[in-house]
Amino acid sequence: MPRYWVMAPIESKNPELFDKVWQFGLANHTISIGWSEVGNVFQMDREFLASTVSKSFPDKPPQTQSLIANMLWAFYHEIEPEDRIIARRGRKILAGVGKVTGSATYTPGRNPDISHPGFLPVAWEAQPRNMIFSEIVFPMHTLSELTEAQYQGFLEGTSQSPPESVEDPSEFV
């Protein structure tokens, strides 16, 4: 049974960079994740990953460090082929929808426009694309798991998911 995810390919604050990263993902049937400072997550168990994130981001609060470690773990170890993924732009725009077609890879330098080392193969669907919601519907975190009902609600444009509360929202745009 597939799992459902929503992910930001990159921060949406810089529209030009977002477009470059998103177009690369579409053209190469992939979505990427950053935190290159952490290194190759495939070579880490959960405990070592948490320790590495803490050392890599000592100025971030423990809650944020834990969130980063959990997102990286999910990206590299939990998302599987046949899972469904929504790429979001900001918190109000569904950029695209796809089906995961393989396991994540750690390939630094694959996209010369960004330092993202993690790539997940995705078969992107032609529609829906660039679906704009009138209010914030997507969680602030880079990567979040959804229920099937939430996923279907986003596709139908009927989702009214409230944003998650976070101490420092700027950490997860």
Side-chain angles (χ1 to χ4, degrees):
M1 178 170 260
R3 292 169 74 180
Y4 302 88
W5 306 88
V6 61
M7 183 175 171
I10 195 166
E11 290 180 319
S12 61
K13 291 178 185 176
N14 179 335
E16 185 177 303
L17 181 58
F18 183 93
D19 288 338
K20 279 184 175 181
V21 171
W22 178 233
Q23 291 307 313
F24 179 91
L26 287 173
N28 291 279
H29 313 285
T30 189
I31 194 164
S32 63
I33 197 165
W35 290 286
S36 58
E37 303 91 331
V38 176
N40 189 347
V41 176
F42 277 127
Q43 298 175 344
M44 301 177 191
D45 62 21
R46 275 194 104 120
E47 188 175 311
F48 187 73
L49 173 59
S51 172
T52 302
V53 168
S54 295
K55 289 176 188 169
S56 298
F57 304 102
D59 296 337
K60 298 216 182 276
Q63 179 184 4
T64 302
Q65 292 172 355
S66 178
L67 178 66
I68 293 169
N70 288 337
M71 284 189 290
L72 288 171
W73 184 264
F75 184 86
Y76 286 100
H77 295 283
E78 293 181 9
I79 299 176
E80 297 182 347
E82 303 300 317
D83 283 0
R84 306 293 297 180
I85 193 159
I86 292 174
R88 68 173 178 83
R89 179 181 191 136
R91 299 187 56 211
K92 292 182 177 183
I93 301 173
L94 181 153
V97 176
K99 181 169 50 172
V100 177
T101 60
S103 299
T105 60
Y106 180 79
T107 49
R110 181 173 175 194
N111 182 346
D113 290 319
I114 56 168
S115 64
H116 287 185
F119 292 86
L120 188 66
V122 178
W124 295 109
E125 297 175 9
Q127 293 298 326
R129 292 265 175 92
N130 301 314
M131 181 186 296
I132 301 171
F133 292 86
S134 60
E135 57 189 46
I136 292 172
V137 294
F138 293 115
M140 187 153 311
H141 304 60
T142 299
L143 176 66
S144 297
E145 188 168 5
L146 303 171
T147 65
E148 184 176 5
Q150 288 172 314
Y151 176 82
Q152 291 302 327
F154 288 130
L155 296 186
E156 296 163 8
T158 59
S159 181
Q160 298 297 317
S161 296
E164 298 174 10
S165 61
V166 186
E167 286 182 29
D168 183 3
S170 66
E171 299 285 332
F172 313 107
V173 176

